[in-house]
Amino acid sequence: MNISRLNFAHLPTPIEALPRLSEALGGPRLLIKRDDQTGLAFGGNKTRKLEFLLAEAREQDAKTLVSGGALQSNHCRQIAAAAARFGFKCILVLTGEKPERPSGNLLLDQLFAAQVVYVAERKDRDRILQETFNRATKEGLEPYLVAYGGSNATGALGYAFAMKELVEQNCHADWIVFATSSGGTHAGLLLGQRMFGYKGKMLGISIDETETWLKEHVSELASSASAKLEARIDFKPDEVLANDNYCSAGYGSDSFVCNVRRPVVGPCLYGTRRGRDD
């Protein structure tokens, strides 16, 4: 198994019990894997993906990272931090009006010296992202395009190996439940389950996409990721468990779970949203 990887995440991340939430729900044993502690610019799940994506960018002799997301994208904040750490330039295409005074992740993007291209309407972002990448190519910036959420076959490998880490921690969970949207984390866990022998079930809670779309997309993404490691595994849509019943609260909205037991992270890690921005 020969795959390039830059090891900069703070791993393994710890697993903690949630006794108050277990009590509030009537007794199930609940655990949380603290991937908010992966270490890169306040952590998050994208750090695991970026270990593989940046290695690929280096192999392609890229000098600039280009990606997009919401104005307060956690994904883009971690890309900007990774670019600063490893000597890449960074261009971010963000949906929203330029604020008079930046705050939160946008402020961090600027502190990490990322160039920000503002897009007023989300419907225009894909086009402007591609135009930005093409312009960077013409200007000799040698760009590498990072998929939304780091969710391509390369990025998904981060969570295939996260599953290996989880299995080695012997937490013996019957279910793994996580948020899903662009599909990279979901696909990586699905591949890791097959590779490393996790015997429980996995359920992705959609924050924007339909169950049908997730089943098709995640199975294909997991299949593509598997081909980067060894013989391709053809995952089927019915192997993907997803629930799309919780997509209406809005991005960043607090919930019952947040109020019972909230790790110390920003509100953009909580709630659901309309539109895939991270």
Side-chain angles (χ1 to χ4, degrees):
M1 190 182 299
N2 185 20
I3 186 74
S4 297
R5 178 179 186 178
L6 296 178
N7 294 291
F8 56 85
H10 296 181
L11 304 177
T13 55
I15 297 172
E16 299 177 4
L18 303 176
R20 290 184 58 212
L21 182 56
S22 293
E23 180 182 3
L25 295 177
R29 175 176 173 261
L30 297 175
L31 305 169
I32 184 171
K33 185 156 175 61
R34 296 296 303 274
D35 269 21
D36 57 309
Q37 297 183 2
T38 50
L40 179 65
F42 303 106
N45 67 322
K46 305 305 185 291
T47 302
R48 291 185 186 269
K49 300 177 183 182
L50 285 168
E51 288 196 326
F52 293 89
L53 292 164
L54 264 64
E56 184 173 80
R58 276 189 167 182
E59 287 183 337
Q60 296 179 11
D61 295 321
K63 299 295 186 291
T64 303
L65 304 181
V66 179
S67 195
L71 202 62
Q72 291 291 341
S73 169
N74 298 305
H75 161 69
C76 289
R77 177 246 305 161
Q78 290 181 75
I79 288 177
R85 176 167 179 177
F86 290 100
F88 292 92
K89 294 181 179 179
C90 181
I91 305 174
L92 301 175
V93 177
L94 304 182
T95 306
E97 299 289 342
K98 181 178 180 179
E100 183 176 328
R101 181 175 298 175
S103 63
N105 285 337
L106 180 60
L107 175 60
L108 292 172
D109 296 339
Q110 295 184 3
L111 289 174
F112 294 133
Q115 175 187 339
V116 177
V117 177
Y118 295 94
V119 181
E121 299 290 337
R122 188 181 183 279
K123 62 181 176 60
D124 297 324
R125 192 178 65 202
D126 288 353
R127 173 180 57 81
I128 294 176
L129 177 62
Q130 188 61 54
E131 290 173 356
T132 300
F133 179 82
N134 294 343
R135 183 168 58 253
T137 301
K138 291 179 181 178
E139 293 174 355
L141 298 179
E142 300 177 77
Y144 174 87
L145 185 61
V146 182
Y148 292 126
S151 293
N152 60 15
T154 300
L157 297 177
Y159 271 86
F161 287 97
M163 179 61 82
K164 179 176 185 290
E165 177 182 302
L166 181 67
V167 169
E168 291 175 346
Q169 287 176 302
N170 296 313
C171 74
H172 305 297
D174 298 318
W175 284 85
I176 298 174
V177 182
F178 49 90
T180 187
S181 173
S182 55
T185 297
H186 202 161
L189 289 172
L190 183 64
L191 174 58
Q193 180 182 39
R194 181 75 64 88
M195 291 176 59
F196 301 113
Y198 171 66
K199 302 302 183 184
K201 295 182 179 181
M202 300 186 306
L203 174 63
I205 305 298
S206 177
I207 65 172
D208 54 6
E209 299 290 358
T210 66
E211 179 180 340
T212 299
W213 185 90
L214 284 166
K215 284 177 172 289
E216 294 286 345
H217 178 69
V218 169
S219 58
E220 176 54 38
L221 190 53
S223 300
S224 298
S226 71
K228 288 183 168 288
L229 297 176
E230 46 194 32
R232 179 184 171 96
I233 302 170
D234 287 318
F235 290 94
K236 306 301 181 186
D238 61 8
E239 296 180 76
V240 179
L241 296 181
N243 184 314
D244 61 5
N245 293 335
Y246 302 93
C247 296
S248 62
Y251 185 42
S253 298
D254 274 357
S255 69
F256 169 77
V257 173
C258 299
N259 292 326
V260 172
R261 202 292 190 186
R262 177 199 289 267
V264 184
V265 289
C268 288
L269 295 181
Y270 291 90
T272 56
R273 58 190 165 156
R274 298 185 187 276
R276 185 169 66 250
D277 290 324
D278 268 2

